[in-house]
Amino acid sequence: MKNRLMRTFFAAWGLCLLLAACQGTEQPPASSSPSVVPSSSEASLSQTPTPNVTSAPSSWPGSASSLPSNFDEVWAENPIEAALQEELDSANNFDDITWAYIHATEKWARLIPIAFEDCLSLLSPEDQEAFQADQEKWKEDLDEKLQYLEDNLDKMVEGNEAAAREACELYEERAYSLCKRKFCSDGVMPSFEGAMKEPEAAG
């Protein structure tokens, strides 16, 4: 019964975050409870089939000799990671850790469409089409991986925080990729302001 409830809530949570990543104007709702995230598992996302990734544009604005080389240094200072670390440092129990990763995931989900649109604006119409296809493929792969977590709840044996971290990493990896493309094209990071702003509660 516990896993059935967890599976239902986790599926709803993952769907809300997926919609936020797919539609830049929609925001994920506040999570109702840390228990919606399943615990870590002997089954890992690394065991899922490797997806066929759609090719993104091979050429981007700027020459190789002029591209910034310090992206990772700039990325390390991003406010989402800083906020996550602050929550983890002040966490008193496993539920607090789980909440920290849920909050970070919500922020990454809001950042992804912002960074995607920034990247899209740098491309020619032909390359925009390829890049949009790449984004759609990522959404499909994300959905499959979230579904994998849901389907393997019965095999998960440790704390919820491990699975929350695993889900968070799925979004962070995409945000990293998009921000790097943007920064290495024009030397400017996407704005994190919209991602950091908490959605207004329904009245």
Side-chain angles (χ1 to χ4, degrees):
M1 177 63 69
K2 179 181 178 181
N3 274 356
R4 182 180 302 172
L5 291 173
M6 288 174 65
R7 183 174 286 109
T8 300
F9 284 116
F10 181 71
W13 177 72
L15 178 59
C16 289
L17 293 176
L18 178 61
L19 289 174
C22 294
Q23 303 173 18
T25 58
E26 295 190 13
Q27 306 295 340
S31 302
S32 58
S33 166
S35 66
V36 303
V37 183
S39 57
S40 182
S41 164
E42 297 172 354
S44 168
L45 287 175
S46 63
Q47 297 174 348
T48 57
T50 302
N52 296 320
V53 179
T54 303
S55 297
S58 57
S59 60
W60 286 80
S63 63
S65 61
S66 65
L67 295 182
S69 59
N70 62 330
F71 172 76
D72 285 334
E73 295 177 13
V74 175
W75 174 261
E77 301 299 323
N78 78 74
I80 297 179
E81 187 63 34
L84 170 60
Q85 193 57 54
E86 183 177 350
E87 284 198 64
L88 292 176
D89 289 344
S90 62
N92 295 314
N93 52 54
F94 290 141
D95 280 354
D96 288 347
I97 296 173
T98 300
W99 270 112
Y101 283 111
I102 290 174
H103 294 155
T105 303
E106 291 173 341
K107 294 180 179 73
W108 291 128
R110 292 194 290 267
L111 177 65
I112 286 170
I114 295 171
F116 174 75
E117 291 298 328
D118 282 355
C119 288
L120 202 63
S121 69
L122 298 171
L123 298 173
S124 66
E126 294 77 12
D127 283 342
Q128 284 183 353
E129 183 176 353
F131 196 54
Q132 286 173 327
D134 180 67
Q135 180 73 351
E136 290 303 317
K137 185 65 172 67
W138 172 77
K139 294 173 190 175
E140 293 173 5
D141 293 340
L142 173 66
D143 195 31
E144 290 177 3
K145 290 173 182 178
L146 292 175
Q147 186 66 52
Y148 180 84
L149 286 176
E150 180 188 347
D151 291 345
N152 284 276
L153 278 174
D154 293 334
K155 300 176 183 178
M156 297 181 178
V157 295
E158 295 182 354
N160 291 347
E161 78 285 352
R165 180 178 65 250
E166 196 166 3
C168 182
E169 288 173 354
L170 293 175
Y171 288 85
E172 181 180 2
E173 287 170 2
R174 184 58 175 175
Y176 175 93
S177 175
L178 293 171
C179 288
K180 186 172 185 178
R181 287 188 181 278
K182 172 68 166 60
F183 184 80
C184 290
S185 294
D186 62 8
V188 179
M189 287 284 281
S191 173
F192 280 69
E193 183 178 355
M196 296 301 295
K197 184 178 180 181
E198 295 295 333
E200 295 182 2

